[in-house]
Amino acid sequence: MRKGLRQDLLKRLEDIVGEKYVLTDDEKMEKYSHDETMGYQYFPDAVVMAETAEEVSKVLRLAGDCSIPVTPRGLGTGLSGGCLPIHGGIVLSLERMNQILDVDQENLMVVTQPGVITGELHRTVEQQGLFYPPDPASLDSCSIGGNIAEGSGGPRAVRYGTTKDYVCGLQAVLPTGEIISTGRKVVKDVTGYNITQLLTGSEGTLGVITEIILRLIPKPKMKVDLLAPFDDLSSAARGVSAILQEKTVPTAIEFMDHAAIELAEKYLKKTMAFNKAAAHLLIQLDGNRAEDFEHGMDLVGEVCKRFGAWDLLVADQPSAQARLWEGRRCIFEAANRIGGVYETMDVVAPRNRIADLVNRAEAIAEKFQLNPLCVGHVGDGNVHVLYFQKDGMEKGEWAAQIKQATESLYRATLDMGGKITAEHGIGLTRKPYLTLDLNEAQMGLLKGIKKTFDPKGILNPGKIFDL
Ligand SMILES: Cc1cc2nc3c(=O)[nH]c(=O)nc-3n(C[C@H](O)[C@H](O)[C@H](O)COP(=O)(O)OP(=O)(O)OC[C@H]3O[C@@H](n4cnc5c(N)ncnc54)[C@H](O)[C@@H]3O)c2cc1C
């Protein structure tokens, strides 16, 4: 819904960030009109690329004075349409704020700007023997600011938790233009309400994050990856619950069904190990002593075999490990580039219900005549269910079927004690389903918080809920 920005406003934006950093040309803005959510495109009236918190503040004050919507954007890898300017206005890109400011060895903290690529942050701290565990599969293309805004997870969450567990402090610019700092380089802080955690996962609707303090841990000295093939989906899923019951906590337990294995092979143009399997479990263990591994590997191997794994591939060298992960990491990219029309769900169930969740996802696909693909961080109970349009299905039929299938899967997940999104956020695509989970009182709280932070409703309007 573009209305166009007046010339005098564009001039004022150029005065703030520099002429070069205000884009209005559709060709240049195309990249900012979509993210990695399949099938959505909205052009802004202008893209503004800020370099400092002060510039962000001035942009927001101007936007507030003129009632122009502002949508923050990291690197556009989101999977719920969060950075799309659905009401036009300004896309505020944080990509120029890309400096790691301080790796603090004494306090085990890193201070960074939001536009830093997450993988870059990993490599920088690891060179100094430190470790930032959250590792979204998009780590070489997403920004750390986007990770904070989404509360992102990743494979290593099984052992180490998600982004929220590492955020100690934030600098953020409120929609009113005020700059606030929450938290510090401290690991404990109960000073008032926890605004740091409120901003974490707020999907760019409460403030623009301009600086981040993250807790680090020592880098584990060793890691090993195991790939186990299964003949049926359900056994693989039950194997995950069984591994966790052994009271061993692997670093990661990832799952790919046969459709995912096939898609990865087609996209990467490579043959994957055990490519006839109905499902793979990809398990990572890390630690500092070989004996910890040996015990963990024996245990995981034994459980996998008990649940029907017919082999176990062990990778302890970086090149072999990278090959094992390549297939899992490429799934969303592959689906977007060669998968056809699809929608993705990001459901999470209690970990003893993983098999039920996967089975329900399959049954729902069959009922609504969709092609399913399941991958995910099953060690956390988190399954990404992709439903693809079948060849020959009419557009209208697809729209009706996917809507019903999505709602059915969400209701089934909630009935199991789960949640409708684990890490991709509500954004735009899950907005219609939020009230399946949250009641009127909860929705009232969310809306009240939004109004307190953003009285004029200019920051990322129309995301998570409508006011
Ligand atoms: C191949 C692939 C694999 C993925 N794997 C995972 C995974 O394993 N785990 C996972 O959790 N996600 C995953 N994702 C989703 C996505 O990468 C994450 O949500 C990521 O955190 C988005 O970062 P971004 O910089 O691309 O943010 P964007 O897409 O640009 O924005 C995402 C949201 O954050 C807001 N935002 C961005 N920067 C700021 C800021 N500085 N201040 C305030 N708001 C801001 C935007 O307004 C938007 O609402 C994957 C995506 C792809 C394409």
Side-chain angles (χ1 to χ4, degrees), residues 257-303:
D257 70 4
H258 187 72
I261 299 166
E262 261 186 354
L263 180 69
E265 282 199 320
K266 207 164 143 195
Y267 180 66
L268 297 171
K269 298 192 175 75
K270 283 181 186 169
T271 307
M272 285 180 62
F274 310 131
N275 60 357
K276 299 282 178 280
H280 283 172
L281 287 184
L282 178 53
I283 301 150
Q284 185 172 92
L285 304 167
D286 71 6
N288 292 317
R289 298 180 316 166
E291 51 268 40
D292 297 342
F293 274 9
E294 280 148 24
H295 175 65
M297 273 165 62
D298 288 350
L299 215 96
V300 167
E302 186 275 311
V303 174

Side-chain angles (χ1 to χ4, degrees), residues 223 225 270 314-326:
K223 72 174 175 192
D225 292 302
K270 283 181 186 169
V314 179
D316 56 5
Q317 293 304 313
S319 57
Q321 291 172 335
R323 272 201 304 281
L324 283 196
W325 280 89
E326 197 179 22

Side-chain angles (χ1 to χ4, degrees), residues 34-37 70-84 92-95 97 113-118 135-139 141-155 162-163 171-173 199 202-212 254 328-334 336-337 342 346 377 382 384 422-425 427-428 459-460 463-464:
H34 56 84
D35 60 4
E36 291 292 327
T37 316
V70 176
T71 307
R73 181 180 174 102
L75 292 173
T77 65
L79 291 170
S80 54
C83 67
L84 305 183
L92 181 58
S93 167
L94 284 308
E95 69 201 288
M97 298 186 70
Q113 292 188 322
V116 169
I117 293 176
T118 307
D135 61 338
S138 51
L139 61 91
S141 50
C142 66
S143 73
I144 189 72
N147 295 175
I148 310 295
E150 291 289 2
S152 296
T162 65
T163 303
Q171 181 192 64
V173 186
L199 288 168
S202 64
E203 303 190 33
T205 63
L206 300 181
V208 179
I209 295 154
T210 46
E211 204 172 290
I212 301 154
E254 295 287 307
R328 167 64 192 92
R329 288 201 187 278
C330 79
I331 289 301
F332 283 110
E333 215 176 292
N336 278 354
R337 307 292 175 262
Y342 80 98
D346 169 44
H377 314 300
N382 180 197
H384 301 317
E423 54 177 27
H424 293 167
L428 179 63
L459 192 64
N460 213 352
K463 302 296 167 55
I464 308 181

Side-chain angles (χ1 to χ4, degrees), residues 127-191:
Q127 274 160 16
Q128 303 192 38
L130 295 167
F131 195 53
Y132 174 65
D135 61 338
S138 51
L139 61 91
D140 280 317
S141 50
C142 66
S143 73
I144 189 72
N147 295 175
I148 310 295
E150 291 289 2
S152 296
R156 293 197 291 235
V158 184
R159 185 175 173 92
Y160 293 111
T162 65
T163 303
K164 70 175 183 345
D165 300 308
Y166 295 86
V167 189
C168 293
L170 296 172
Q171 181 192 64
V173 186
L174 302 182
T176 50
E178 287 153 292
I179 301 178
I180 59 163
S181 287
T182 72
R184 290 261 169 102
K185 275 189 193 170
V186 291
V187 286
K188 295 164 91 178
D189 171 18
V190 290
T191 320

Side-chain angles (χ1 to χ4, degrees), residues 379-398:
D380 302 324
N382 180 197
V383 182
H384 301 317
V385 179
L386 281 64
Y387 285 145
F388 291 84
Q389 183 177 3
K390 275 198 172 155
D391 287 345
M393 187 182 252
E394 297 288 322
K395 210 171 161 190
E397 192 190 352
W398 156 252

Side-chain angles (χ1 to χ4, degrees), residues 136 160 186 196 233 249 251 283 345:
Y160 293 111
V186 291
T196 307
L233 231 64
V249 185
T251 313
I283 301 150
M345 270 50 81

